[in-house]
Amino acid sequence: MDLIMNLTLNGLATGMLIFLLAAGLTLIFGLMDVLNFAHGGLFAWGAYSGLWIYAKTDSFVIGIVGAILTGFLLGIIIERWIIKPVYGNHVQQILITLGLMLVLSEMLKVIWGPNQLTASPPDYLKGSWEVGGVIIIKYRIFIILVGFLIFAGVQFLLKKTKIGLVVRAGVMNKEMVQALGINIQKVFMFVFMIGAGMAALGGVLLGPYSGVIHAGMGMEFAILAFIVVVIGGMGNFKGSVLAAILVGLSGSFMAYYVPDLSLAVNMLLMAIVLIIRPQGLFGAKG
Amino acid sequence: MTAIVLIVAAFLLLLPFVYESRNLLILLTQVFVFSIFAMSYDLLLGFTGIVSFGHAMFFGIGAYSMGIFMKRFEPTLGYFLLAVLTTIVITGFVSFLVGLLTLRLKSHFYAMLTLSLSGLFLVLAEKWRTLTYGNDGFTFRVPELFIDRTNFYLLCMVVMVAVFLILKRFTNSPLGRVLQAIRENEQRTESLGFHVLHYKIAASVMSGVLAGIAGILYAISLRFVNTSVFAMDITLDALLMTIIGGVGTLVGAIIGAGLIEFAHHWLTELAKEHWIFERWIIFFGIIYILVVMFFPRGIVGTLSSISWKRKKQHSAKKEGKLAG
């Protein structure tokens, strides 16, 4: 019981981190038709900048805020100067975002050095609770809570606000939204910024969770996020959270029972989805 | 143009007999190997318009097949041929499967599936320790014929020229023409009655097998193989070489390979002077982004379009004179 509980919580926490990365990817893809291969780079930038600020100020909250702001800033710069000039050309877009990934992760090594850095949660999130003989690590609960909060927040933004309405309309038909007199470019930038911020938040939360951060972790998580985006359906926000939890849980259970196969199982899941439901398990449109 | 190519070819052919620098020989061998790899990549990216982010997978399969055969069995020519055959079968099968799964969907899916599959192969190579010796890799002996660096240099050169000619023929064949039509406009090609999926899968398989052959040569040149052959860096190398050299031109891939390999060599030397050169890849990343944004046809494409424009201007002037 203890074991299953722990594996479930572990899987949920990992799933939430993947969700933070995948949600931005899927929103950006749905609205702008851009598959951002640099998203993992934003994730790693969030981790490095956030933990650096955390180390300097000694406050984890300021670190998190700093990471999100870094994400916003990078998102604006990338959208404005690098992705905007190549809108409409799929091959160029894919190529340019991968180049960006390369530059972002190399920059990390230039600024913070090529070695991995260690990180630990702040005192109030350290340790664990014991509930009826089951040991629950505090930090995992924290990640799960933050993940659900972000999910609820973005869901509220999409469903209840004016800008959310425009975004949802844009996913369905960009030209029509533009014809109605809405500046879709501004919406693009907003969505890209939010997506980058979420990725950066995921990165800074991962730091104390895994204990170490390194420049290659962006790519590692990006691969999981791509799997999630395919399983959940490209452009499907709700699908991405369900798929992220699925991938997180299967990863955590497989890692315990058959460690060598944990990535393979997720890949297999993706291959099956690609064969039978290329629009994603939870997607409606193709 | 042909004269320049012939002179360069003759120069490269005679070089090992005149100038005895082991380092230069090894460097040039690497250039040939990566030229093959970059050309195979260009067949996908430049001629068919498919983006693959896991090309290292095929390279790695080739390298490991060769390494494992040479390590487990005797390093003879017989086992060498068997390793080549194994590589062709495995890379052909994997590229066929990946193509079948994703090429009927949007171009993003192929990029994503290859990226994650190559990640899977990397993990496989790390975990299947009885076969691959894990992260550390292993050294192996090579067939006697290839022990001599000059012989191997010539072999790589011959294979590169052969691959170049095969791909030249392939891309100019009716099949290659259809591939280029797919790159230009997929829907139109489909409506002209071509079964686009079949053609794309053919390109994917051809490209995968050739990348596997590049991997074989790479493993023999190092006489060592480890998990780095599956790393993202190898795919990035191919991308940089084709994009900077010029997509859609086989010569561009070769020039790109030469440029990147030599620059890599020199910049690593410079790293002793200043640590920033250790991160040499960042310069290429920036150049790469600029090339994609402003010169999407790369060095060769941009140069040939300039010379073409000049010719046009020239002939226009002539015509003007005649008319006047």
Side-chain angles (χ1 to χ4, degrees):
Chain A
M1 189 59 216
D2 187 21
L3 178 70
I4 290 173
M5 187 73 194
N6 259 317
L7 286 178
T8 309
L9 283 179
N10 196 358
L12 275 177
T14 316
M16 279 305 157
L17 291 176
I18 303 170
F19 157 72
L20 286 173
L21 196 57
L25 265 182
T26 204
L27 274 179
I28 292 169
F29 180 81
L31 185 67
M32 299 152 70
D33 243 6
V34 175
L35 188 60
N36 183 16
F37 277 91
H39 223 63
L42 296 168
F43 184 78
W45 263 88
Y48 272 85
S49 62
L51 292 173
W52 182 73
I53 294 169
Y54 168 39
K56 290 278 165 210
T57 59
D58 225 19
S59 156
F60 193 52
V61 178
I62 296 180
I64 289 178
V65 173
I68 295 174
L69 289 179
T70 314
F72 283 168
L73 194 70
L74 281 173
I76 291 173
I77 295 171
I78 290 170
E79 204 277 341
R80 180 98 178 68
W81 301 103
I82 299 187
I83 292 184
K84 207 170 177 184
V86 289
Y87 268 130
N89 186 334
H90 282 279
V91 171
Q92 250 180 317
Q93 268 168 4
I94 297 182
L95 292 175
I96 214 161
T97 54
L98 192 78
L100 204 61
M101 173 76 204
L102 183 66
V103 172
L104 282 178
S105 61
E106 284 298 311
M107 277 271 259
L108 282 177
K109 291 183 197 163
V110 169
I111 299 173
W112 282 285
N115 300 326
Q116 54 184 24
L117 306 177
T118 54
S120 63
D123 287 334
Y124 50 90
L125 289 173
K126 262 184 199 151
S128 51
W129 292 298
E130 207 184 315
V131 183
V134 182
I135 292 166
I136 297 170
I137 294 169
K138 281 186 196 168
Y139 194 74
R140 283 184 191 162
I141 302 292
F142 172 69
I143 290 182
I144 296 169
L145 278 179
V146 172
F148 272 112
L149 267 177
I150 296 288
F151 171 71
V154 174
Q155 195 68 358
F156 175 80
L157 198 75
L158 282 175
K159 289 277 151 81
K160 302 281 178 198
T161 61
K162 175 106 192 301
I163 183 125
L165 187 73
V166 174
V167 170
R168 279 186 296 142
V171 171
M172 277 182 191
N173 191 334
K174 276 187 283 283
E175 283 79 18
M176 192 54 135
V177 173
Q178 229 165 346
L180 290 171
I182 290 160
N183 187 350
I184 196 101
Q185 301 287 343
K186 277 203 179 127
V187 184
F188 281 2
M189 183 180 273
F190 174 75
V191 168
F192 204 94
M193 194 183 88
I194 297 286
M198 280 198 280
L201 174 65
V204 72
L205 290 180
L206 174 72
Y209 180 56
S210 72
V212 287
I213 54 170
H214 55 102
M217 70 184 208
M219 208 63 212
E220 280 166 27
F221 265 78
I223 287 179
L224 289 175
F226 288 135
I227 295 176
V228 163
V229 169
V230 171
I231 294 176
M234 305 264 259
N236 184 340
F237 179 71
K238 249 193 214 157
S240 76
V241 70
L242 293 173
I245 290 173
L246 187 69
V247 166
L249 284 177
S250 88
S252 128
F253 276 90
M254 291 309 289
Y256 184 78
Y257 291 108
V258 232
D260 290 352
L261 289 181
S262 66
L263 184 63
V265 166
N266 281 330
M267 291 287 309
L268 199 68
L269 204 61
M270 173 158 111
I272 292 169
V273 170
L274 278 176
I275 299 167
I276 55 169
R277 267 186 82 90
Q279 71 270 42
L281 279 186
F282 313 102
K285 64 168 193 165
Chain B
M1 190 65 198
T2 353
I4 301 174
V5 173
L6 281 178
I7 291 170
V8 172
F11 174 72
L12 287 175
L13 195 64
L14 291 176
L15 185 79
F17 303 105
V18 202
Y19 184 65
E20 284 193 5
S21 160
R22 218 176 114 83
N23 281 338
L24 187 68
L25 215 59
I26 292 174
L27 185 60
L28 278 172
T29 310
Q30 292 278 329
V31 172
F32 297 151
V33 171
F34 275 96
S35 293
I36 299 168
F37 188 50
M39 281 192 285
S40 80
Y41 193 76
D42 201 23
L43 177 65
L44 278 187
L45 180 65
F47 287 95
T48 324
I50 301 172
V51 183
S52 156
F53 283 161
H55 221 52
M57 163 167 75
F58 305 119
F59 191 79
I61 290 172
Y64 265 103
S65 310
M66 181 52 69
I68 289 167
F69 265 95
M70 293 293 112
K71 180 88 180 169
R72 299 269 144 174
F73 307 106
E74 291 297 302
T76 57
L77 273 184
Y79 283 114
F80 167 77
L81 289 177
L82 211 57
V84 173
L85 201 69
T86 313
T87 305
I88 292 175
V89 170
I90 299 179
T91 50
F93 177 70
V94 172
S95 54
F96 175 76
L97 199 69
V98 174
L100 197 64
L101 284 180
T102 54
L103 284 176
R104 64 207 158 97
L105 307 167
K106 274 186 177 171
S107 54
H108 308 108
F109 284 97
Y110 191 82
M112 272 194 314
L113 190 67
T114 47
L115 177 70
S116 17
L117 252 186
S118 70
L120 187 66
F121 270 100
L122 181 66
V123 174
L124 192 72
E126 269 169 20
K127 301 276 156 118
W128 198 349
R129 302 191 70 90
T130 48
L131 197 63
T132 63
Y133 300 91
N135 230 335
D136 309 326
F138 55 92
T139 54
F140 54 87
R141 286 182 297 143
V142 296
E144 238 171 272
L145 188 62
F146 307 137
I147 291 179
D148 181 35
R149 285 281 170 195
T150 315
N151 278 353
F152 187 62
Y153 169 89
L154 291 175
L155 174 80
C156 286
M157 192 170 156
V158 168
V159 175
M160 183 190 83
V161 172
V163 168
F164 177 78
L165 292 176
I166 290 170
L167 280 179
K168 191 104 193 147
R169 183 75 193 81
F170 186 79
T171 49
N172 282 322
S173 68
L175 192 146
R177 293 284 170 202
V178 176
L179 292 182
Q180 288 172 53
I182 292 171
R183 176 192 66 193
E184 294 303 325
N185 192 328
E186 197 170 331
Q187 271 96 16
R188 194 175 293 166
T189 319
E190 181 98 61
S191 63
L192 282 172
F194 293 104
H195 205 315
V196 169
L197 180 65
H198 291 178
Y199 287 91
K200 281 171 143 185
I201 290 178
S204 168
V205 170
M206 181 82 178
S207 166
V209 169
L210 289 178
I213 288 172
I216 290 177
L217 295 174
Y218 182 75
I220 297 179
S221 83
L222 292 186
R223 296 165 197 185
F224 167 73
V225 57
N226 73 350
T227 48
S228 72
V229 288
F230 282 120
M232 191 71 204
D233 300 11
I234 300 277
T235 306
L236 282 172
D237 276 344
L239 251 176
L240 293 176
M241 287 165 187
T242 17
I243 296 281
I244 294 178
V247 284
T249 60
L250 295 171
V251 184
I254 298 177
I255 291 179
L259 210 67
I260 302 276
E261 279 300 315
F262 271 95
H264 182 179
H265 183 73
W266 284 324
L267 290 173
T268 334
E269 299 266 293
L270 273 178
K272 287 169 204 150
E273 310 283 326
H274 193 277
W275 62 271
I276 190 94
F277 291 108
E278 247 168 62
R279 306 257 72 85
W280 60 279
I281 198 101
I282 199 170
F283 302 115
F284 276 98
I286 293 167
I287 294 174
Y288 165 93
I289 290 179
L290 293 177
V291 167
V292 172
M293 277 168 100
F294 301 110
F295 307 100
R297 301 178 58 201
I299 295 175
V300 172
T302 310
L303 283 182
S304 70
S305 79
I306 289 173
S307 74
W308 187 75
K309 255 185 209 160
R310 236 189 237 155
K311 255 187 210 162
K312 210 172 145 195
Q313 271 174 355
H314 195 69
S315 60
K317 253 186 210 164
K318 255 190 194 165
E319 271 171 31
K321 263 182 200 165
L322 282 177

